[in-house]
Amino acid sequence: MSPAPADPLEYKPLDGGWGWMVVIGAHISIGFAYATPKVLSIFFNEIQQDLGSSFSEIALISSIMLAAMYAGGPVSSAMVNRFGSRPIVMLGGLLCGVSMITASFGTSIIYLYFCIGVIGGCGLSLNLNASLIIISKYFLKRRPLANGLAMAGSPVFLCVLAPFNQYLLVNFGWRGSLLILGGLMLHCCVAGALMRPVPLPCKPPSYALEKTVEEQPNSGNTKLKKRFVKNAKKFLDFSLFKDRGFVIYLIGSIMFIFGAYAPIVFLSAYAKSQGVEEYSAAYLLSIMGFVDMFVRPGTGLIANSKLVRPRIQYFFSFALVFNGTCHLLCPLIKSYAFLVVYAVFFGIGFGMVFALIFECLMDLMGSQRFPRAVGLVTIIECFPMLLGPPAAGLLVDVYHDYKYLFLMCGSVILTGGLFLFVMNIYNYHMLDKERQKQVRASEVEMKLTPQAGTGQTEPEAKERNVALRDPENTETTD
Amino acid sequence: MIPGKRRAAVMSFSAAIFGALLLQSVSSQNEPSITASEHTTLPVEGDMYMLQCNLTSYQNIHQESYWTKNGEEIPETRSPNRNTEYKLHKPRGDDAGVYMCVFTFDLSPSANATIEVKSAPEITGHKRSENRNEGQRALLYCKSVGYPHPAWTWRKFDNGIYREIDNSTGRFFVSSKDNYTELHIIDLDIGLDPGEYSCNATNMIGSREEKSVLRVRSHLAPLWPLLGVLAEIIILIVIIVVYEKRKKPEDLQDGESPVKTNSTNNHKDKNLRQRNTN
């Protein structure tokens, strides 16, 4: 059963109508966020020739962009809490566009690190977090589907931008391509325009948090320290670590991110080492991306069904286990036909996990705590994401065999999935216990009041254990 | 001169010459002689061509023999036989060259025989297309295999035929060496330079050529697409914002009713517990 959020929603989410336009906006925004660092690598060869630097120096651009995108999470979440999603996505789009356009005039690699890496990465982080937050505000009943559709932006944009970038490179050179790509990234501003703010009846709770912190007494020496703590609390809410479900999710997703990207990076190299020719090896990644495109909305649809939605955390751990098993079976594959099958299953597993990764966090945290949670999760995920592929590469260098890479990634992801599964059983069990306690406490309170007890709360509570979460019911409890 | 003395001089002279000739024949008997296969031109019939060297006469003890190709020793060809062979399997362009079988001796210098395997040039590497911005420098190259090394010429396709490259502007530089040639063009001109170029390799057996396309991009080329994209984005944003402003009065009504229904629900279900919400 999906745990109820600790804080009730103050309004009924639209779950449709303009919400679908918001999903389109989020789709575009998330698509650019995940696809851009990957497709920039198409330009690297020409940039390398022009600026005369080594390949690892050039590849650092993508890494800096990804790191900035993830590390900017808390700041982005805090800004969204303050200003709402729309201005933040428009600002993010503007930053991305400006970063690419200015980068096209670059003459040194450090300039590119700053323009594309830092500024571009910040823009993308604003886009990513704001899009996720607004989905959590617009949807509840159909939220898994909305999440699946929005996250599908990543493979769609990857499949579209990759050949498009190649075409731009041939016809305009890398400078012209960056110029045009910058213009295209301004479509994130259009996506932002679509994200109409949700009409809130009262102040957002972030103000409440700030007020409680401000009310603490400031005395002498500790004044500076308290101000620092207050500012830090604005961006990073460490109280989330007290939430059992959050910690479990965090550990599971760290393990997944550590093992997730390395197989993608090394898949074509592995295929070539097995004797597959170059174009067919590159084709494997396209197959994976293509399958991913359809699996994400499909997973969202499945996760939305009555059967799966209450047990969505188990579905998430199943997706991780599926992914891990896929990688573990890869070293047994020698022929190209089976590699294609592996790429298909890899695409399925990858798409399932990414369609659910933010939906599960929304499910655990509720729409009020989600902004802070997602900021914290993205900045923590920065580390396994940057460490994963180099660690895998080190394994390949030491053992001169790709199978250890797949074994390591597969086992880490599989362990993460099993960990999530077991710990979620424990977590649900504890949550049920707590709810029983609450129900009994409210029953006692009801019996003390003179009005007739309709006895609705107990069956209501039991109903909640099996059925979908209903916003009206959640408002009745606290 | 006294007749007797003249006869003596002639006799000693002819004796010297005879002696020299004898010495020559004796020493040539001491020099080793090798019978080798004929020079040949590829392609040959059949799947294999055999290069043979037979050491027919030698004075000192023969040590071993090996083969070289174009001056470099071919690995794993060393053998102690007097009759040595080297097989060329399905000989192609890169099998052409100057082959030499070398026989080494203990006490005298080694002897060798040369076999030339000729073929027409085959162009194995070239750039199919080169795209550069104006003012930059372009590099077109061609690689070939074959023997003897070809003479390279570069031509440009102009008005229907291939012409010699017009270097009146002094921007074209050709450097050729053996089986490799490069055409450098500096300070690309967007009007004169784009087009099809061909490198031609010719040797006494035959000739081949390959085409490369050179495109020169203008600096301002990406500006038009960029302006187009910017215009499209501004139009889309204007449409979305205008649509929202016009729908706003209706939206406000929709926005309030969910709040109202919530509070009415609260009243319905929470008649038991009075809570101060909204």
Side-chain angles (χ1 to χ4, degrees), chain A residues 430-442:
Chain A
M430 296 300 288
L431 281 170
D432 272 343
K433 259 198 195 164
E434 283 165 17
R435 196 162 296 115
Q436 298 287 353
K437 234 196 285 179
Q438 262 183 3
V439 163
R440 260 180 247 124
S442 63

Side-chain angles (χ1 to χ4, degrees), chain A residues 62 91 126 241 265 312 461:
Chain A
S62 260
L91 177 66
L126 292 177
F241 281 112
V265 172
I312 203 171

Side-chain angles (χ1 to χ4, degrees), chain A residues 393-431:
Chain A
L394 195 69
L395 267 180
V396 174
D397 283 337
V398 166
Y399 289 105
H400 299 290
D401 194 346
Y402 285 100
K403 75 171 184 201
Y404 292 106
L405 183 162
F406 287 101
L407 286 177
M408 177 198 87
C409 294
S411 49
V412 169
I413 297 178
L414 188 68
T415 316
L418 290 173
F419 173 81
L420 273 181
F421 184 71
V422 167
M423 293 309 286
N424 269 316
I425 295 178
Y426 167 71
N427 189 34
Y428 282 151
H429 177 70
M430 296 300 288
L431 281 170

Side-chain angles (χ1 to χ4, degrees), chain A residues 218-376:
Chain A
N218 294 327
S219 57
N221 295 336
T222 53
K223 199 174 184 179
L224 258 172
K225 191 179 173 189
K226 288 223 188 278
R227 268 183 72 194
F228 176 74
V229 166
K230 181 184 99 175
N231 282 332
K233 266 199 180 158
K234 246 196 256 182
F235 296 115
L236 294 173
D237 190 358
F238 288 110
S239 70
L240 287 169
F241 281 112
K242 292 188 196 141
D243 191 317
R244 194 175 38 241
F246 178 75
V247 173
I248 295 170
Y249 170 86
L250 193 63
I251 296 176
S253 71
I254 286 176
M255 295 180 86
F256 170 71
I257 297 283
F258 184 75
Y261 290 105
I264 299 179
V265 172
F266 289 102
L267 182 60
S268 50
Y270 172 67
K272 274 186 239 169
S273 80
Q274 298 295 318
V276 177
E277 54 155 8
E278 202 171 326
Y279 282 115
S280 309
Y283 199 52
L284 285 173
L285 280 176
S286 318
I287 294 175
M288 194 206 117
F290 191 72
V291 169
D292 197 0
M293 224 193 294
F294 295 102
V295 165
R296 291 195 195 194
T299 309
L301 204 61
I302 295 174
N304 217 99
S305 65
K306 276 212 175 88
L307 195 64
V308 180
R309 181 88 191 266
R311 299 173 190 80
I312 203 171
Q313 304 291 338
Y314 294 133
F315 192 36
F316 184 50
S317 44
F318 165 73
L320 254 74
V321 166
F322 184 85
N323 214 337
T325 319
C326 230
H327 291 319
L328 284 176
L329 292 176
C330 185
L332 301 172
I333 293 173
K334 304 286 176 199
S335 73
Y336 182 65
F338 280 111
L339 272 175
V340 171
V341 172
Y342 165 75
V344 168
F345 277 105
F346 185 13
I348 293 175
F350 199 74
M352 276 205 296
V353 175
F354 265 97
L356 294 170
I357 200 167
F358 289 114
E359 168 57 33
C360 285
L361 190 60
M362 286 183 202
D363 185 69
L364 281 168
M365 297 283 108
S367 102
Q368 304 293 20
R369 286 193 298 166
F370 178 71
R372 281 172 276 139
V374 78
L376 198 56

Side-chain angles (χ1 to χ4, degrees), chain A residues 86 170 187 196 452 472, chain B residues 217 232 244 251 265 272 275:
Chain A
R86 172 185 261 177
V170 166
H187 278 98
R196 260 186 227 166
E472 283 156 278
Chain B
R217 302 184 282 235
E232 175 226 339
E244 184 174 328
D251 258 359
N265 277 343
L272 309 164
R275 285 172 61 225

